Amino acid sequence: MELFTPRLLLRDFQQNDLACVKELESLPETYYFESSQPNIEQITKKLQQTQAEALHSPRTSFHLAITIRPLDRVRGRVSLTLINESIREWEIGWAIHPDEWGKGFATEAAHRVLEFTFSDLQAHRVVAFSHAENTASIRGMKKLNMQQEGLLRETRPWKNGWSDEVVYSILDREWKDS
Ligand SMILES: CC(C)(COP(=O)(O)OP(=O)(O)OC[C@H]1O[C@@H](n2cnc3c(N)ncnc32)[C@H](O)[C@@H]1OP(=O)(O)O)[C@@H](O)C(=O)NCCC(=O)NCCS
């Protein structure tokens, strides 16, 4: 699967992405707002699972590499997962290599994935969850016209304590109007 944006190619992961994936997933910045960081074994296994999921039909999970054209080097990832089939609800998530932060790549990639989700997958809702202090991620959600619909109190173990989590969403009718 391939999705193009003005600057990016979003595509399924390949086995020869492993070195780039290991680098991205091993950076402390990538997991700063998460409760734990995967080890090399977990990263390798996740890449294999991701490739296996890409063979499912119909697909209920898309983990796509973000590459900056024309280079075919993984500089981030965007994921899309069916979380409630009965209401056609999908969850989106993203990460970009810190060297590429602040250039609009996360928003550009997520915008294309939302377009695909509403047009091709006929989604009704797309949701995103974020650590309540993850300003960059929340700013991206707002730029995508996602609306905050909740604050989950102390749902995330973080730094020997708890952190709150925000939930944002966008509906199919809002996407059409945006
Ligand atoms: C969150 C993340 C994906 C954003 O990637 P990005 O490509 O830098 O995002 P964009 O460039 O599209 O920026 C989106 C908005 O956030 C702003 N932003 C980016 N980094 C920021 C920061 N550190 N603090 C405040 N705002 C920030 C951008 O300026 C932009 O807003 P603007 O257009 O109004 O200026 C990136 O920081 C990341 O990978 N973080 C680690 C993984 C992660 O936290 N993923 C999200 C889990 S919910």
Side-chain angles (χ1 to χ4, degrees):
M1 147 125 177
E2 292 184 339
L3 298 174
F4 288 88
T5 76
R7 296 181 293 172
L8 308 172
L9 166 62
L10 319 179
R11 58 155 177 80
D12 286 318
F13 280 96
Q14 302 154 3
Q15 194 51 40
N16 62 8
D17 292 325
L18 185 58
C20 288
V21 170
K22 277 182 183 166
E23 187 199 342
L24 177 67
E25 306 300 334
S26 299
L27 290 168
E29 292 95 327
T30 306
Y31 285 86
Y32 179 76
F33 288 107
E34 304 298 327
S35 54
S36 63
Q37 182 126 20
N39 59 34
I40 296 295
E41 191 185 352
Q42 290 166 325
I43 294 167
T44 307
K45 196 171 171 193
K46 175 73 182 173
L47 180 62
Q48 288 165 353
Q49 283 171 351
T50 295
Q51 289 176 282
E53 282 164 9
L55 302 175
H56 287 184
S57 182
R59 276 181 86 165
T60 55
S61 177
F62 299 81
H63 290 94
L64 302 178
I66 299 174
T67 67
I68 304 166
R69 294 193 282 137
L71 300 180
D72 189 37
R73 189 161 63 115
V74 177
R75 301 306 274 162
R77 56 170 153 80
V78 57
S79 63
L80 180 70
T81 309
L82 182 62
I83 57 170
N84 189 335
E85 189 174 8
S86 63
I87 59 168
R88 305 195 312 278
E89 181 181 44
W90 294 75
E91 178 182 345
I92 190 169
W94 44 66
I96 298 287
H97 192 291
D99 290 353
E100 311 290 356
W101 284 2
K103 299 178 185 173
F105 290 139
T107 314
E108 185 170 321
H111 188 274
R112 181 68 186 89
V113 170
L114 287 179
E115 184 177 71
F116 168 75
T117 315
F118 287 115
S119 303
D120 295 68
L121 302 176
Q122 283 83 45
H124 170 52
R125 281 165 55 81
V126 177
V127 295
F129 296 85
S130 170
H131 187 297
E133 292 169 27
N134 193 343
T135 316
S137 197
I138 293 169
R139 178 81 193 123
M141 293 174 192
K142 288 179 178 164
K143 290 188 74 179
L144 292 161
N145 291 324
M146 300 182 85
Q147 310 286 321
Q148 184 175 340
E149 59 181 27
L151 173 76
L152 309 179
R153 296 184 304 146
E154 298 193 3
T155 49
R156 292 188 176 207
W158 194 59
K159 289 189 174 178
N160 299 320
W162 298 100
S163 71
D164 296 341
E165 187 172 20
V166 288
V167 188
Y168 275 70
S169 71
I170 181 165
L171 305 175
D172 44 5
R173 59 183 162 78
E174 293 168 337
W175 176 257
K176 283 190 192 98
D177 291 345
S178 66

